[in-house]
Amino acid sequence: MATTNDLKNGLVLKLDGGDLWAVVEFQHVKPGKGGAFVRTKLKNVLSGKVVDKTFNAGVKVDVANVDKREMQYSYKDGDEFVFMDTETYDMLHISGTTVGDAANYLLENTLATVAIHEGSPLYVDLPASAVLEVTHTEPGLQGDRSTGGTKPATLETGAEIKVPLFITTGEKVKVDTRSGEYLGRG
């Protein structure tokens, strides 16, 4: 147990009958009249839904014990992704639904942070960007280079993103793992 005064970004709370919510933002507010309160933005760890919630200052909140470990992606086994704990070398099978969109940017040997609560994986956090090879994109037309347009490109993971017209098949590109946005050449 903790109080609302202990809230910080990344802390995972157990609220409303056991649902796990990660603190995305928080702000302590002390109005001129009335009691102080804490305004928070919480993200449901499993569904990804974001809600705003206000707590009175000093109220007790249940903090979930979430273990974040650095793991290395090894291979895909059917619908599951197999990660290896970099300290213990234990193998952990994580379902595709838990991995979610991170699967679009996962290559073998990619390091990721895996959050585990009571033995079950909650989510996989990738580094902010990944360098991946473009396996297919249509060639840009001569003279298209200055227009600033984009075209679809398929990455080596199978994900499709938008890239500038000058990018060609076989090039490596840097991609934002949260939004799928093109960040530059790799």
Side-chain angles (χ1 to χ4, degrees):
M1 289 296 259
T3 68
T4 53
N5 301 333
D6 303 323
L7 292 181
K8 61 181 184 248
N9 290 349
L11 193 68
V12 178
L13 307 176
K14 199 183 245 185
L15 303 172
D16 309 328
D19 281 357
L20 298 177
W21 297 84
V23 177
V24 178
E25 283 176 23
F26 69 97
Q27 178 185 15
H28 291 276
V29 180
K30 177 82 173 94
K33 252 183 174 169
F37 59 91
V38 181
R39 191 178 289 137
T40 64
K41 187 172 276 190
L42 303 174
K43 180 179 179 183
N44 187 303
V45 171
L46 298 176
S47 71
K49 181 177 156 188
V50 177
V51 297
D52 293 319
K53 189 165 176 70
T54 303
F55 297 96
N56 289 329
V59 170
K60 290 202 180 308
V61 287
D62 196 3
V63 177
N65 183 17
V66 175
D67 184 16
K68 293 182 181 173
R69 297 185 202 159
E70 185 169 68
M71 296 196 162
Q72 185 176 21
Y73 172 60
S74 295
Y75 60 93
K76 189 168 182 193
D77 182 16
D79 291 342
E80 295 187 325
F81 293 79
V82 181
F83 285 81
M84 180 184 71
D85 191 316
T86 55
E87 288 178 19
T88 64
Y89 302 108
D90 290 340
M91 300 305 252
L92 179 67
H93 291 256
I94 302 177
S95 73
T97 52
T98 302
V99 173
D101 290 340
N104 293 331
Y105 313 105
L106 264 180
L107 286 177
E108 286 182 15
N109 303 324
T110 299
L111 290 176
T113 303
V114 178
I116 300 167
H117 174 66
E118 293 176 357
S120 60
L122 299 174
Y123 59 86
V124 175
D125 231 356
L126 291 179
S129 64
V131 175
L132 299 165
E133 187 178 320
V134 174
T135 55
H136 176 75
T137 188
E138 296 297 324
L141 298 172
Q142 193 62 32
D144 273 346
R145 287 153 180 48
S146 63
T147 60
T150 60
K151 61 183 178 179
T154 306
L155 302 174
E156 59 187 304
T157 58
E160 194 170 284
I161 66 165
K162 296 273 185 206
V163 297
L165 298 169
F166 57 80
I167 297 293
T168 59
T169 300
E171 274 190 85
K172 290 205 177 274
V173 293
K174 193 173 189 178
V175 182
D176 185 319
T177 58
R178 294 164 301 226
S179 66
E181 222 173 277
Y182 167 84
L183 296 174
R185 285 186 161 132

